[in-house]
Amino acid sequence: AQSQGETCSGVITRFPGPSKGACLTSWANSKDEEKQYPADFGGVLSKVEIYQCPDSGKRVMISNGIPDHKVTLQNNNAPCEVNWVVEIPLNPTVALSKTEVPVRGMIAMATNGVPAYGPQESDSNNAVAGNDGVPGARFWYGHTGAQTWHFHNPHMGKETVTSDLLLGYAMDGFPIYGPLDDNAVNQLDSCNGIYNSDGSYQYHVRAIDQVDANLEYCNGSSPETNWNYILGCYAGSVGSTEIFDSTSYTLPSDCFVDGSPNASPVAAPTGQGTKP
C-alpha cells in the first residue's frame, strides 16, 4: 500500500496497479456497443483464482481483471488484462480504529477478479448517482479507466443481488455481501459492517437509494465517509494487504483453492431494496 494525498481524515492508503497484459483493442471507439461474454471478448477471457493460505494467514486473489459478463461500453476506452495478485488477511479482525477508504481507486476485489473502486471519479463527482462524471461509471457491469475494468456500483458485477450473495472481499480481508432490505439496513455500522451471531464480521453493500448522495463525500474529518455504497470505511487493518504482479509471483506453498460457500452465514433478509 502507498500513501494518497487527497483524504478526509488525513490518513489513507491506496494500492498500486500491476502490469498490463493483452488489450481488447477492437473495443476502442465503440461507445454504446453491447458486448456479450464470451463471444465478443476476442479470446481475452476472464481468469480468476482465489486461494486460502492458512499457515501464511492470507487469502490470495489472482486474476486478469477481465469481466465475466456482458457489458455496454459507455466510453471509448479499451480495457486490458491486469496482472492482479491481491493478498489480504485470511482471518481479519476488527481494529480499534477505522481507516478511511481511498477517495478514488481500489477498495475491494470482486469474486470475478475485477477491482471495485470508491464512489468518486477523477473529477470528484459521484460516480454512482446520476449522470455526472465519467460516462458509464454508475452501471452494475462497470467501465474502463486507465485501461483497467472496474466497478463503482455496489452490485460489483452482478446484474441482480441478494443479501446472502458473496460479492467480493474488502482490502482489509472482510467479505462483502449484497444489500440488506430497507428495514434492516440500519443494522449496519458506518463501514457497512455487521456482526453475525457467531461473532464474525462482514460487510453488506448498500443499494443506491440507501445512500444520501446529497451529503458531502467527507463526513468532516472522520474516516467514515458518507457515500458508502460499497464501504464507508475499513473496519479492519490494511497494513498487511499487498498487491503483486502475477507475472512474477510465487504462490505460498500452504495455499489451496478457496472452497468457501458463497452464502452469507448471517440470516439476513434477502430482498434488495431498490436495485442500483
Side-chain angles (χ1 to χ4, degrees):
Q2 64 186 24
S3 174
Q4 176 173 300
E6 187 176 352
T7 76
C8 301
S9 64
V11 178
I12 201 169
T13 52
R14 71 186 299 265
F15 299 90
S19 66
K20 303 289 198 305
C23 298
L24 287 161
T25 53
S26 63
W27 288 17
N29 302 312
S30 298
K31 185 177 182 294
D32 299 325
E33 289 186 11
E34 184 174 276
K35 301 294 184 180
Q36 298 294 325
Y37 185 88
D40 297 327
F41 280 62
V44 183
L45 303 182
S46 171
K47 298 175 184 177
V48 59
E49 298 169 324
I50 303 176
Y51 297 91
Q52 291 189 32
C53 311
D55 295 337
S56 304
K58 302 172 182 178
R59 190 183 310 277
V60 180
M61 306 180 75
I62 303 175
S63 81
N64 67 350
I66 297 295
D68 60 350
H69 48 74
K70 67 180 180 181
V71 303
T72 299
L73 303 180
Q74 300 289 335
N75 58 41
N76 289 315
N77 301 325
C80 298
E81 292 181 302
V82 181
N83 297 312
W84 290 110
V85 177
V86 180
E87 287 189 355
I88 56 176
L90 178 61
N91 300 299
T93 57
V94 174
L96 294 176
S97 58
K98 298 177 174 64
T99 300
E100 185 183 342
V101 297
V103 174
R104 286 176 289 278
M106 187 177 184
I107 64 173
M109 180 67 86
T111 54
N112 69 351
V114 173
Y117 282 17
Q120 283 197 37
E121 274 294 352
S122 57
D123 54 10
S124 299
N125 281 325
N126 189 318
V128 180
N131 294 314
D132 293 332
V134 174
R138 69 187 187 278
F139 297 112
W140 67 268
Y141 46 78
H143 75 146
T144 303
Q147 298 182 308
T148 301
W149 199 269
H150 60 275
F151 307 125
H152 298 276
N153 185 290
H155 276 204
M156 292 175 63
K158 302 295 184 183
E159 190 166 8
T160 58
V161 293
T162 58
S163 62
D164 62 353
L165 178 64
L166 177 65
L167 298 177
Y169 293 91
M171 300 304 277
D172 62 2
F174 286 111
I176 304 174
Y177 292 90
L180 302 179
D181 266 348
D182 291 343
N183 60 4
V185 70
N186 61 359
Q187 298 174 30
L188 299 178
D189 63 23
S190 57
C191 292
N192 286 2
I194 189 172
Y195 283 97
N196 301 314
S197 58
D198 64 0
S200 62
Y201 183 88
Q202 66 192 46
Y203 296 117
H204 287 266
V205 300
R206 295 176 187 251
I208 287 178
D209 65 351
Q210 292 174 344
V211 175
D212 187 353
N214 293 316
L215 295 174
E216 296 291 329
Y217 172 80
C218 289
N219 180 17
S221 59
S222 170
E224 305 161 12
T225 56
N226 287 323
W227 295 355
N228 51 347
Y229 300 98
I230 297 177
L231 300 174
C233 48
Y234 294 124
S237 171
V238 294
S240 63
T241 295
E242 296 284 353
I243 302 293
F244 297 97
D245 193 301
S246 64
T247 61
S248 57
Y249 180 74
T250 300
L251 188 70
S253 60
D254 63 309
C255 298
F256 60 87
V257 175
D258 191 342
S260 300
N262 282 342
S264 163
V266 67
T270 57
Q272 302 174 42
T274 300
K275 295 181 188 177

